[in-house]
Amino acid sequence: MPVPPVVDLPVEMAVPLESQLPIGSSQLSTSINLDGGVESFDPVARATDLVSTLPRQWCGTYRSLPDGADQTVLLTLADVRSYGQMVALRGEIAVGSVKSPVQGNLNAKSDQLDLIPLAEPLGEGLEPGDAFLGLQGFGVAGLQAARLTNPGGRLNLSSSCGSEALPIRGLW
């Protein structure tokens, strides 16, 4: 392999260290103004609060994207514990007529939720390895399917199970 020819390049004149000004005490005492305030949100305290205030029963619907059929969903949380800013969830989820143990986590700072059904027969549109991922807590979660050929689905949950007010009927 041939060696490339050596080319002399002009060298820039270096600035001597003596010519740089030392930092004066006036520059060290300059105050720094920060835009915004100090974050006062405590995710660890919120996680501890969620352990006692989080509803233990959630209901709603699951819509599978391949067939578009709605199935009723009932999520019952049996064990809720906080670990730092994370809330660990254990319970049972019933999608249609199929029940499965479920475990998951809720991030108290970002409201990110993940729920993983643990049973083998999970019902139509759900397979082992699927997980529900939500960015708005329990409100809306998408199904992250284990297989690329499954487009997933959408889980909508609400904590108001069966507590809807009856319509008021007129007497005349």
Side-chain angles (χ1 to χ4, degrees):
M1 180 166 167
V3 178
V6 177
V7 178
D8 289 331
L9 297 175
V11 178
E12 298 290 326
M13 181 166 195
V15 178
L17 292 176
E18 297 86 36
S19 68
Q20 294 179 357
L21 297 174
I23 296 175
S25 61
S26 64
Q27 292 175 336
L28 292 175
S29 65
T30 303
S31 63
I32 299 173
N33 293 329
L34 298 175
D35 294 334
V38 176
E39 183 176 330
S40 63
F41 177 72
D42 186 3
V44 176
R46 182 170 183 248
T48 305
D49 183 54
L50 283 172
V51 169
S52 59
T53 61
L54 190 68
R56 297 302 195 249
Q57 195 168 34
W58 296 80
C59 32
T61 59
Y62 169 69
R63 175 174 285 189
S64 175
L65 292 179
D67 60 6
D70 283 342
Q71 298 178 22
T72 60
V73 174
L74 177 64
L75 173 66
T76 305
L77 300 175
D79 186 23
V80 179
R81 297 180 189 194
S82 67
Y83 298 98
Q85 74 180 25
M86 299 301 290
V87 179
L89 310 167
R90 303 264 191 272
E92 182 179 69
I93 188 167
V95 180
S97 61
V98 179
K99 292 183 180 181
S100 168
V102 68
Q103 71 179 25
N105 296 310
L106 176 65
N107 188 325
K109 185 172 184 178
S110 64
D111 275 344
Q112 292 179 346
L113 170 75
D114 63 347
L115 287 175
I116 303 169
L118 302 174
E120 286 295 324
L122 296 172
E124 191 170 327
L126 298 171
E127 298 174 348
D130 290 352
F132 293 106
L133 302 175
L135 300 176
Q136 302 171 0
F138 286 88
V140 177
L143 177 72
Q144 183 176 9
R147 293 185 306 127
L148 293 175
T149 57
N150 184 353
R154 183 173 145 166
L155 178 68
N156 293 323
L157 293 174
S158 172
S159 63
S160 61
C161 296
S163 63
E164 296 181 51
L166 296 173
I168 299 174
R169 296 184 186 183
L171 298 174
W172 53 90

